[in-house]
Amino acid sequence: MAVDERIAELVPHAGTMCLLERIEHWDDTSVTVATATHRDPANPLASRLGLRAIHLCEYGAQAMAVHGGLTAQARGQRAHPVDAQQRRQCR
């Protein structure tokens, strides 16, 4: 399945690492996304045994990026990824 263009613009990954495929619904407080990439044997996170529970973190992080980007766009702004300087300040 092709990735929704909005997701491709908002997630800082490309190709098979863009794990989400479509936006079902979103509002100011939530987003619902859908995908079947967890079933794809070419999923870059999968081992021969498939995905592990820890990989849900990446799916969740991508959903958060989509939600943050959509809500920023709705306010006429642009979501910016955290840069190295900001990461150091979070420690």
Side-chain angles (χ1 to χ4, degrees):
M1 177 178 276
V3 173
D4 183 315
E5 289 181 24
R6 296 173 297 173
I7 292 173
E9 291 173 9
L10 298 171
V11 172
H13 296 300
T16 58
M17 264 313 290
C18 187
L19 301 172
L20 307 177
E21 295 175 314
R22 67 185 178 279
I23 300 165
E24 299 282 324
H25 171 79
W26 74 275
D27 58 33
D28 287 342
T29 61
S30 66
V31 66
T32 303
V33 293
T35 190
T37 61
H38 59 290
R39 296 182 188 144
D40 186 348
N43 184 309
L45 300 178
S47 69
R48 64 180 179 78
L49 301 174
L51 293 174
R52 306 276 184 188
I54 190 70
H55 297 124
L56 290 172
C57 295
E58 182 59 32
Y59 281 87
Q62 289 189 24
M64 288 186 286
V66 168
H67 186 254
L70 291 170
T71 55
Q73 288 174 353
R75 293 188 310 269
Q77 300 172 342
R78 182 170 180 248
H80 298 283
V82 175
D83 65 23
Q85 171 101 15
Q86 290 169 317
R87 273 195 293 276
R88 284 191 292 275
Q89 292 171 355
C90 290
R91 292 182 183 170

